[in-house]
Amino acid sequence: MKWSLNLGTVAGIRIKIHWTFLFIVLYVFYSNYRQSGSLETGLWGVFFILSVFACVTLHELGHATMGKRFGVRTRKITLLPIGGVASMENIPEKPAHEFWIAIAGPLVNVGIAILLYLLFSGQIVESYTRLQELTLSLARSGSEQMSESAHQALAIGPANFIFYLFFVNLMLVLFNIIPAFPMDGGRVLRALLAMRMNRARATQIAATVGQVFAFLFILWGFYSDPFLIFIGLFVFLGAYSENMMIQQTEALRGHRVKEVMHKAYVVLPPEARIKDAVDYLLQGHYSDFIVMDDDDRIVGLLSKPRLINALKTKSGEDPVADILVRDFEVLDPNEKLSKIYPGILGNEAGFYPVLELGNLVGVVDKESVDRFLMQQSSLN
Ligand SMILES: [Zn+2]
């Protein structure tokens, strides 16, 4: 099942939207419509949520463009109901670079807020005064039930659309600069710490702070908005996994590809059938397949999970050529493991062939690196 829909490509970055986003749009439409009884208010609500997500996309593009300046490529931006995520190919090692990449997102929202204020200051001030009077009079009257007219005045519509959008951008800034790693503020914190100490320790501290915030979000979510529970879980898991990744990268420092590569791979000719690969798989020793042509050039790669997945739609008689990953990276035996480790986790092919002077000498996959990490920690 595909979880997200492609919206298009901006500056070489794919913009995807998670399908659960549709629920948000429907929910906003429904709640606005129910409160006001008017279709128009429902549609203004939808227009508003789409505008908010346009601002979130610009925020992520802010990270991506700054990343590009420092040589960090962004593969895609995914819009989730809880916000956007820019998937960067690697995390910048220089603290100053990470600082600027992290701060660039919130700065975009500062920019949008300033722009809105410059263009519509009259309207924003007017909406603000009106909404403030309204909330004050509601508080004074002390009645539990909001009047029909109060509902209408608070609802998103042409009169206060700009004000709400301005307000949301300020909120995006405030929320994102909370130092809850891996949120932007947490990355800024890690960058600032990493200017004074090594990156592993800086990440450890930032991740701990992030997890404390995540816990507070979850607690707070139980008393107010359940959405905060999701954000809390997201931050908690994000802090855990990124900290783990950095600590492992640190443990790999000083070690090279040739120390972890193994030879449990199979070379297949381009005309091999899927069942040939399955036969090897059933022997239990092999999980990485490399397809080579007669000139010993690698045509494509096939990992065990990809092969198993393909069996759902393909027959054993189909050629393996149909299911190969053809866009892959190769490694040199002397390459540094700490440099390639973050890439291994997101590697589509599932493993890397290792070539020495053009000859295949082994493969590296996540399992072989994990095994190596385990041996290292048991030696220490
Ligand atoms: Zn951000």
mmCIF file of all heavy atoms in Angstrom, residues 255-294:
data_model
loop_
_atom_site.group_PDB
_atom_site.id
_atom_site.type_symbol
_atom_site.label_atom_id
_atom_site.label_comp_id
_atom_site.label_asym_id
_atom_site.label_seq_id
_atom_site.Cartn_x
_atom_site.Cartn_y
_atom_site.Cartn_z
ATOM 1 N N HIS A 255 36.982 2.766 11.737
ATOM 2 C CA HIS A 255 36.901 1.459 11.077
ATOM 3 C C HIS A 255 36.531 1.624 9.606
ATOM 4 O O HIS A 255 35.929 2.618 9.223
ATOM 5 C CB HIS A 255 35.877 0.574 11.788
ATOM 6 C CG HIS A 255 36.294 0.222 13.180
ATOM 7 N ND1 HIS A 255 37.266 -0.696 13.450
ATOM 8 C CD2 HIS A 255 35.883 0.711 14.374
ATOM 9 C CE1 HIS A 255 37.434 -0.770 14.762
ATOM 10 N NE2 HIS A 255 36.613 0.078 15.346
ATOM 11 N N ARG A 256 36.925 0.614 8.812
ATOM 12 C CA ARG A 256 36.720 0.724 7.374
ATOM 13 C C ARG A 256 35.853 -0.394 6.829
ATOM 14 O O ARG A 256 35.650 -1.420 7.485
ATOM 15 C CB ARG A 256 38.080 0.753 6.670
ATOM 16 C CG ARG A 256 38.824 2.002 7.043
ATOM 17 C CD ARG A 256 40.177 2.126 6.404
ATOM 18 N NE ARG A 256 40.887 3.241 6.995
ATOM 19 C CZ ARG A 256 40.767 4.505 6.591
ATOM 20 N NH1 ARG A 256 39.983 4.814 5.578
ATOM 21 N NH2 ARG A 256 41.432 5.469 7.199
ATOM 22 N N VAL A 257 35.365 -0.148 5.610
ATOM 23 C CA VAL A 257 34.446 -1.076 4.951
ATOM 24 C C VAL A 257 34.985 -2.503 4.934
ATOM 25 O O VAL A 257 34.262 -3.467 5.172
ATOM 26 C CB VAL A 257 34.142 -0.580 3.510
ATOM 27 C CG1 VAL A 257 33.514 -1.673 2.664
ATOM 28 C CG2 VAL A 257 33.238 0.643 3.550
ATOM 29 N N LYS A 258 36.306 -2.665 4.673
ATOM 30 C CA LYS A 258 36.850 -4.020 4.530
ATOM 31 C C LYS A 258 36.715 -4.848 5.805
ATOM 32 O O LYS A 258 36.731 -6.077 5.750
ATOM 33 C CB LYS A 258 38.314 -3.968 4.067
ATOM 34 C CG LYS A 258 39.238 -3.223 4.986
ATOM 35 C CD LYS A 258 40.625 -3.164 4.371
ATOM 36 C CE LYS A 258 41.502 -2.202 5.162
ATOM 37 N NZ LYS A 258 42.634 -1.703 4.395
ATOM 38 N N GLU A 259 36.519 -4.171 6.964
ATOM 39 C CA GLU A 259 36.378 -4.908 8.217
ATOM 40 C C GLU A 259 34.998 -5.536 8.380
ATOM 41 O O GLU A 259 34.837 -6.457 9.173
ATOM 42 C CB GLU A 259 36.648 -3.976 9.412
ATOM 43 C CG GLU A 259 38.067 -3.456 9.478
ATOM 44 C CD GLU A 259 38.232 -2.440 10.597
ATOM 45 O OE1 GLU A 259 38.139 -2.830 11.773
ATOM 46 O OE2 GLU A 259 38.438 -1.244 10.284
ATOM 47 N N VAL A 260 34.004 -5.016 7.677
ATOM 48 C CA VAL A 260 32.650 -5.551 7.869
ATOM 49 C C VAL A 260 32.108 -6.283 6.641
ATOM 50 O O VAL A 260 31.075 -6.935 6.714
ATOM 51 C CB VAL A 260 31.620 -4.458 8.246
ATOM 52 C CG1 VAL A 260 32.001 -3.774 9.530
ATOM 53 C CG2 VAL A 260 31.467 -3.438 7.131
ATOM 54 N N MET A 261 32.805 -6.148 5.497
ATOM 55 C CA MET A 261 32.228 -6.763 4.301
ATOM 56 C C MET A 261 32.265 -8.294 4.407
ATOM 57 O O MET A 261 33.080 -8.858 5.109
ATOM 58 C CB MET A 261 32.952 -6.288 3.043
ATOM 59 C CG MET A 261 34.352 -6.765 2.915
ATOM 60 S SD MET A 261 35.079 -6.010 1.444
ATOM 61 C CE MET A 261 36.594 -6.947 1.342
ATOM 62 N N HIS A 262 31.292 -8.918 3.747
ATOM 63 C CA HIS A 262 31.269 -10.380 3.781
ATOM 64 C C HIS A 262 31.069 -10.921 2.360
ATOM 65 O O HIS A 262 30.828 -10.156 1.429
ATOM 66 C CB HIS A 262 30.164 -10.876 4.729
ATOM 67 C CG HIS A 262 28.790 -10.511 4.279
ATOM 68 N ND1 HIS A 262 28.081 -11.245 3.382
ATOM 69 C CD2 HIS A 262 27.994 -9.469 4.617
ATOM 70 C CE1 HIS A 262 26.918 -10.694 3.168
ATOM 71 N NE2 HIS A 262 26.831 -9.600 3.905
ATOM 72 N N LYS A 263 31.194 -12.239 2.235
ATOM 73 C CA LYS A 263 31.145 -12.823 0.898
ATOM 74 C C LYS A 263 29.920 -13.696 0.679
ATOM 75 O O LYS A 263 29.864 -14.476 -0.275
ATOM 76 C CB LYS A 263 32.427 -13.624 0.646
ATOM 77 C CG LYS A 263 33.653 -12.724 0.544
ATOM 78 C CD LYS A 263 34.865 -13.496 0.110
ATOM 79 C CE LYS A 263 36.120 -12.642 0.089
ATOM 80 N NZ LYS A 263 36.120 -11.671 -1.012
ATOM 81 N N ALA A 264 28.937 -13.575 1.552
ATOM 82 C CA ALA A 264 27.741 -14.413 1.409
ATOM 83 C C ALA A 264 26.747 -13.810 0.422
ATOM 84 O O ALA A 264 25.601 -13.539 0.751
ATOM 85 C CB ALA A 264 27.083 -14.618 2.782
ATOM 86 N N TYR A 265 27.230 -13.584 -0.794
ATOM 87 C CA TYR A 265 26.337 -13.069 -1.826
ATOM 88 C C TYR A 265 26.370 -14.022 -3.015
ATOM 89 O O TYR A 265 27.248 -14.874 -3.109
ATOM 90 C CB TYR A 265 26.780 -11.667 -2.269
ATOM 91 C CG TYR A 265 28.190 -11.624 -2.799
ATOM 92 C CD1 TYR A 265 28.466 -11.911 -4.141
ATOM 93 C CD2 TYR A 265 29.257 -11.314 -1.954
ATOM 94 C CE1 TYR A 265 29.762 -11.886 -4.621
ATOM 95 C CE2 TYR A 265 30.551 -11.287 -2.428
ATOM 96 C CZ TYR A 265 30.806 -11.577 -3.754
ATOM 97 O OH TYR A 265 32.093 -11.555 -4.219
ATOM 98 N N VAL A 266 25.401 -13.857 -3.901
ATOM 99 C CA VAL A 266 25.346 -14.705 -5.090
ATOM 100 C C VAL A 266 25.382 -13.802 -6.318
ATOM 101 O O VAL A 266 24.706 -12.781 -6.348
ATOM 102 C CB VAL A 266 24.028 -15.515 -5.108
ATOM 103 C CG1 VAL A 266 23.974 -16.402 -6.342
ATOM 104 C CG2 VAL A 266 23.901 -16.334 -3.844
ATOM 105 N N VAL A 267 26.193 -14.193 -7.301
ATOM 106 C CA VAL A 267 26.197 -13.464 -8.565
ATOM 107 C C VAL A 267 25.326 -14.227 -9.560
ATOM 108 O O VAL A 267 25.501 -15.430 -9.747
ATOM 109 C CB VAL A 267 27.626 -13.316 -9.119
ATOM 110 C CG1 VAL A 267 27.595 -12.672 -10.503
ATOM 111 C CG2 VAL A 267 28.479 -12.480 -8.162
ATOM 112 N N LEU A 268 24.371 -13.527 -10.142
ATOM 113 C CA LEU A 268 23.464 -14.157 -11.112
ATOM 114 C C LEU A 268 23.658 -13.511 -12.483
ATOM 115 O O LEU A 268 23.992 -12.332 -12.564
ATOM 116 C CB LEU A 268 22.009 -13.950 -10.675
ATOM 117 C CG LEU A 268 21.550 -14.592 -9.365
ATOM 118 C CD1 LEU A 268 20.177 -14.060 -8.973
ATOM 119 C CD2 LEU A 268 21.522 -16.108 -9.478
ATOM 120 N N PRO A 269 23.432 -14.281 -13.563
ATOM 121 C CA PRO A 269 23.473 -13.670 -14.903
ATOM 122 C C PRO A 269 22.172 -12.902 -15.161
ATOM 123 O O PRO A 269 21.161 -13.190 -14.520
ATOM 124 C CB PRO A 269 23.580 -14.894 -15.835
ATOM 125 C CG PRO A 269 22.946 -16.003 -15.063
ATOM 126 C CD PRO A 269 23.189 -15.734 -13.609
ATOM 127 N N PRO A 270 22.190 -11.975 -16.111
ATOM 128 C CA PRO A 270 20.997 -11.145 -16.359
ATOM 129 C C PRO A 270 19.763 -11.968 -16.734
ATOM 130 O O PRO A 270 18.644 -11.549 -16.490
ATOM 131 C CB PRO A 270 21.409 -10.249 -17.529
ATOM 132 C CG PRO A 270 22.884 -10.268 -17.539
ATOM 133 C CD PRO A 270 23.321 -11.570 -16.963
ATOM 134 N N GLU A 271 19.975 -13.167 -17.339
ATOM 135 C CA GLU A 271 18.812 -13.940 -17.777
ATOM 136 C C GLU A 271 18.271 -14.868 -16.683
ATOM 137 O O GLU A 271 17.338 -15.644 -16.930
ATOM 138 C CB GLU A 271 19.147 -14.722 -19.061
ATOM 139 C CG GLU A 271 20.280 -15.735 -18.957
ATOM 140 C CD GLU A 271 21.675 -15.108 -19.114
ATOM 141 O OE1 GLU A 271 21.771 -13.870 -19.215
ATOM 142 O OE2 GLU A 271 22.674 -15.862 -19.100
ATOM 143 N N ALA A 272 18.831 -14.789 -15.464
ATOM 144 C CA ALA A 272 18.365 -15.663 -14.379
ATOM 145 C C ALA A 272 16.886 -15.401 -14.084
ATOM 146 O O ALA A 272 16.376 -14.310 -14.323
ATOM 147 C CB ALA A 272 19.197 -15.392 -13.121
ATOM 148 N N ARG A 273 16.213 -16.465 -13.567
ATOM 149 C CA ARG A 273 14.794 -16.328 -13.225
ATOM 150 C C ARG A 273 14.667 -16.095 -11.724
ATOM 151 O O ARG A 273 15.583 -16.420 -10.958
ATOM 152 C CB ARG A 273 14.019 -17.596 -13.600
ATOM 153 C CG ARG A 273 14.400 -18.195 -14.891
ATOM 154 C CD ARG A 273 13.212 -18.341 -15.847
ATOM 155 N NE ARG A 273 13.636 -18.088 -17.211
ATOM 156 C CZ ARG A 273 13.108 -17.175 -18.004
ATOM 157 N NH1 ARG A 273 12.142 -16.394 -17.580
ATOM 158 N NH2 ARG A 273 13.534 -17.014 -19.233
ATOM 159 N N ILE A 274 13.504 -15.605 -11.347
ATOM 160 C CA ILE A 274 13.280 -15.327 -9.921
ATOM 161 C C ILE A 274 13.450 -16.598 -9.098
ATOM 162 O O ILE A 274 14.016 -16.580 -8.005
ATOM 163 C CB ILE A 274 11.887 -14.683 -9.716
ATOM 164 C CG1 ILE A 274 11.919 -13.248 -10.265
ATOM 165 C CG2 ILE A 274 11.490 -14.680 -8.248
ATOM 166 C CD1 ILE A 274 10.619 -12.504 -10.197
ATOM 167 N N LYS A 275 13.009 -17.753 -9.665
ATOM 168 C CA LYS A 275 13.099 -18.994 -8.874
ATOM 169 C C LYS A 275 14.552 -19.405 -8.602
ATOM 170 O O LYS A 275 14.842 -20.039 -7.588
ATOM 171 C CB LYS A 275 12.311 -20.127 -9.538
ATOM 172 C CG LYS A 275 12.836 -20.627 -10.856
ATOM 173 C CD LYS A 275 12.057 -21.893 -11.220
ATOM 174 C CE LYS A 275 12.661 -22.733 -12.265
ATOM 175 N NZ LYS A 275 12.781 -22.444 -13.612
ATOM 176 N N ASP A 276 15.485 -19.007 -9.491
ATOM 177 C CA ASP A 276 16.906 -19.295 -9.232
ATOM 178 C C ASP A 276 17.364 -18.602 -7.948
ATOM 179 O O ASP A 276 18.068 -19.188 -7.121
ATOM 180 C CB ASP A 276 17.778 -18.809 -10.404
ATOM 181 C CG ASP A 276 17.382 -19.478 -11.715
ATOM 182 O OD1 ASP A 276 16.903 -20.626 -11.651
ATOM 183 O OD2 ASP A 276 17.544 -18.844 -12.773
ATOM 184 N N ALA A 277 16.954 -17.324 -7.818
ATOM 185 C CA ALA A 277 17.327 -16.575 -6.614
ATOM 186 C C ALA A 277 16.670 -17.196 -5.381
ATOM 187 O O ALA A 277 17.301 -17.349 -4.337
ATOM 188 C CB ALA A 277 16.911 -15.106 -6.764
ATOM 189 N N VAL A 278 15.384 -17.602 -5.546
ATOM 190 C CA VAL A 278 14.670 -18.205 -4.412
ATOM 191 C C VAL A 278 15.363 -19.490 -3.952
ATOM 192 O O VAL A 278 15.488 -19.750 -2.753
ATOM 193 C CB VAL A 278 13.192 -18.474 -4.784
ATOM 194 C CG1 VAL A 278 12.487 -19.256 -3.680
ATOM 195 C CG2 VAL A 278 12.464 -17.153 -5.032
ATOM 196 N N ASP A 279 15.869 -20.300 -4.919
ATOM 197 C CA ASP A 279 16.585 -21.533 -4.564
ATOM 198 C C ASP A 279 17.771 -21.247 -3.632
ATOM 199 O O ASP A 279 17.982 -21.949 -2.655
ATOM 200 C CB ASP A 279 17.098 -22.237 -5.834
ATOM 201 C CG ASP A 279 15.963 -22.944 -6.571
ATOM 202 O OD1 ASP A 279 14.906 -23.152 -5.932
ATOM 203 O OD2 ASP A 279 16.129 -23.259 -7.767
ATOM 204 N N TYR A 280 18.527 -20.192 -3.983
ATOM 205 C CA TYR A 280 19.664 -19.814 -3.125
ATOM 206 C C TYR A 280 19.194 -19.354 -1.752
ATOM 207 O O TYR A 280 19.781 -19.687 -0.730
ATOM 208 C CB TYR A 280 20.476 -18.688 -3.773
ATOM 209 C CG TYR A 280 21.427 -19.173 -4.838
ATOM 210 C CD1 TYR A 280 21.173 -18.946 -6.188
ATOM 211 C CD2 TYR A 280 22.597 -19.849 -4.471
ATOM 212 C CE1 TYR A 280 22.044 -19.388 -7.163
ATOM 213 C CE2 TYR A 280 23.478 -20.293 -5.443
ATOM 214 C CZ TYR A 280 23.196 -20.061 -6.791
ATOM 215 O OH TYR A 280 24.069 -20.501 -7.731
ATOM 216 N N LEU A 281 18.090 -18.589 -1.791
ATOM 217 C CA LEU A 281 17.552 -18.050 -0.542
ATOM 218 C C LEU A 281 17.181 -19.194 0.404
ATOM 219 O O LEU A 281 17.453 -19.139 1.608
ATOM 220 C CB LEU A 281 16.304 -17.218 -0.875
ATOM 221 C CG LEU A 281 15.831 -16.245 0.191
ATOM 222 C CD1 LEU A 281 16.898 -15.188 0.434
ATOM 223 C CD2 LEU A 281 14.536 -15.573 -0.257
ATOM 224 N N LEU A 282 16.592 -20.273 -0.163
ATOM 225 C CA LEU A 282 16.132 -21.384 0.662
ATOM 226 C C LEU A 282 17.292 -22.152 1.293
ATOM 227 O O LEU A 282 17.121 -22.844 2.288
ATOM 228 C CB LEU A 282 15.242 -22.330 -0.156
ATOM 229 C CG LEU A 282 13.910 -21.704 -0.580
ATOM 230 C CD1 LEU A 282 13.129 -22.644 -1.484
ATOM 231 C CD2 LEU A 282 13.078 -21.313 0.640
ATOM 232 N N GLN A 283 18.477 -22.041 0.693
ATOM 233 C CA GLN A 283 19.655 -22.695 1.292
ATOM 234 C C GLN A 283 20.055 -22.026 2.607
ATOM 235 O O GLN A 283 20.796 -22.588 3.404
ATOM 236 C CB GLN A 283 20.846 -22.618 0.340
ATOM 237 C CG GLN A 283 20.680 -23.456 -0.907
ATOM 238 C CD GLN A 283 21.878 -23.309 -1.814
ATOM 239 O OE1 GLN A 283 22.987 -23.006 -1.363
ATOM 240 N NE2 GLN A 283 21.663 -23.520 -3.102
ATOM 241 N N GLY A 284 19.584 -20.776 2.766
ATOM 242 C CA GLY A 284 19.771 -20.120 4.060
ATOM 243 C C GLY A 284 21.040 -19.336 4.259
ATOM 244 O O GLY A 284 21.192 -18.655 5.268
ATOM 245 N N HIS A 285 22.000 -19.428 3.314
ATOM 246 C CA HIS A 285 23.252 -18.712 3.553
ATOM 247 C C HIS A 285 23.312 -17.359 2.846
ATOM 248 O O HIS A 285 24.174 -16.560 3.129
ATOM 249 C CB HIS A 285 24.465 -19.513 3.058
ATOM 250 C CG HIS A 285 24.450 -20.930 3.510
ATOM 251 N ND1 HIS A 285 24.517 -21.269 4.834
ATOM 252 C CD2 HIS A 285 24.354 -22.093 2.817
ATOM 253 C CE1 HIS A 285 24.468 -22.583 4.942
ATOM 254 N NE2 HIS A 285 24.357 -23.116 3.728
ATOM 255 N N TYR A 286 22.428 -17.183 1.893
ATOM 256 C CA TYR A 286 22.557 -15.995 1.028
ATOM 257 C C TYR A 286 21.342 -15.081 1.126
ATOM 258 O O TYR A 286 20.210 -15.552 1.136
ATOM 259 C CB TYR A 286 22.722 -16.419 -0.436
ATOM 260 C CG TYR A 286 23.814 -17.430 -0.641
ATOM 261 C CD1 TYR A 286 23.512 -18.767 -0.866
ATOM 262 C CD2 TYR A 286 25.151 -17.035 -0.578
ATOM 263 C CE1 TYR A 286 24.515 -19.704 -1.038
ATOM 264 C CE2 TYR A 286 26.162 -17.964 -0.744
ATOM 265 C CZ TYR A 286 25.838 -19.306 -0.976
ATOM 266 O OH TYR A 286 26.839 -20.217 -1.140
ATOM 267 N N SER A 287 21.614 -13.776 1.191
ATOM 268 C CA SER A 287 20.485 -12.846 1.170
ATOM 269 C C SER A 287 20.710 -11.679 0.208
ATOM 270 O O SER A 287 19.809 -10.907 -0.049
ATOM 271 C CB SER A 287 20.206 -12.315 2.572
ATOM 272 O OG SER A 287 21.370 -11.752 3.103
ATOM 273 N N ASP A 288 21.923 -11.554 -0.326
ATOM 274 C CA ASP A 288 22.210 -10.452 -1.246
ATOM 275 C C ASP A 288 22.542 -11.013 -2.632
ATOM 276 O O ASP A 288 23.409 -11.871 -2.768
ATOM 277 C CB ASP A 288 23.406 -9.626 -0.736
ATOM 278 C CG ASP A 288 23.163 -9.068 0.664
ATOM 279 O OD1 ASP A 288 21.994 -8.807 0.995
ATOM 280 O OD2 ASP A 288 24.143 -8.891 1.409
ATOM 281 N N PHE A 289 21.841 -10.516 -3.636
ATOM 282 C CA PHE A 289 22.047 -11.003 -5.004
ATOM 283 C C PHE A 289 22.545 -9.878 -5.899
ATOM 284 O O PHE A 289 22.038 -8.763 -5.849
ATOM 285 C CB PHE A 289 20.743 -11.561 -5.582
ATOM 286 C CG PHE A 289 20.199 -12.697 -4.777
ATOM 287 C CD1 PHE A 289 19.325 -12.467 -3.725
ATOM 288 C CD2 PHE A 289 20.597 -13.999 -5.039
ATOM 289 C CE1 PHE A 289 18.847 -13.511 -2.949
ATOM 290 C CE2 PHE A 289 20.132 -15.055 -4.274
ATOM 291 C CZ PHE A 289 19.252 -14.814 -3.226
ATOM 292 N N ILE A 290 23.570 -10.211 -6.705
ATOM 293 C CA ILE A 290 24.136 -9.227 -7.621
ATOM 294 C C ILE A 290 24.024 -9.788 -9.039
ATOM 295 O O ILE A 290 24.455 -10.908 -9.294
ATOM 296 C CB ILE A 290 25.622 -8.968 -7.279
ATOM 297 C CG1 ILE A 290 25.722 -8.419 -5.845
ATOM 298 C CG2 ILE A 290 26.250 -7.996 -8.277
ATOM 299 C CD1 ILE A 290 27.134 -8.259 -5.340
ATOM 300 N N VAL A 291 23.414 -9.010 -9.909
ATOM 301 C CA VAL A 291 23.298 -9.460 -11.289
ATOM 302 C C VAL A 291 24.393 -8.794 -12.118
ATOM 303 O O VAL A 291 24.528 -7.571 -12.119
ATOM 304 C CB VAL A 291 21.897 -9.147 -11.861
ATOM 305 C CG1 VAL A 291 21.842 -9.500 -13.341
ATOM 306 C CG2 VAL A 291 20.843 -9.924 -11.084
ATOM 307 N N MET A 292 25.209 -9.645 -12.784
ATOM 308 C CA MET A 292 26.337 -9.145 -13.561
ATOM 309 C C MET A 292 26.221 -9.605 -15.000
ATOM 310 O O MET A 292 25.772 -10.725 -15.262
ATOM 311 C CB MET A 292 27.636 -9.714 -12.997
ATOM 312 C CG MET A 292 28.261 -8.873 -11.934
ATOM 313 S SD MET A 292 29.860 -9.616 -11.553
ATOM 314 C CE MET A 292 30.552 -8.342 -10.559
ATOM 315 N N ASP A 293 26.641 -8.745 -15.931
ATOM 316 C CA ASP A 293 26.622 -9.166 -17.333
ATOM 317 C C ASP A 293 27.932 -9.884 -17.690
ATOM 318 O O ASP A 293 28.799 -10.080 -16.824
ATOM 319 C CB ASP A 293 26.340 -7.965 -18.259
ATOM 320 C CG ASP A 293 27.445 -6.928 -18.200
ATOM 321 O OD1 ASP A 293 28.537 -7.228 -17.672
ATOM 322 O OD2 ASP A 293 27.214 -5.800 -18.688
ATOM 323 N N ASP A 294 28.084 -10.280 -18.962
ATOM 324 C CA ASP A 294 29.254 -11.067 -19.373
ATOM 325 C C ASP A 294 30.575 -10.320 -19.194
ATOM 326 O O ASP A 294 31.631 -10.931 -19.068
ATOM 327 C CB ASP A 294 29.108 -11.476 -20.854
ATOM 328 C CG ASP A 294 27.935 -12.429 -21.029
ATOM 329 O OD1 ASP A 294 27.533 -13.040 -20.008
ATOM 330 O OD2 ASP A 294 27.423 -12.552 -22.158
#
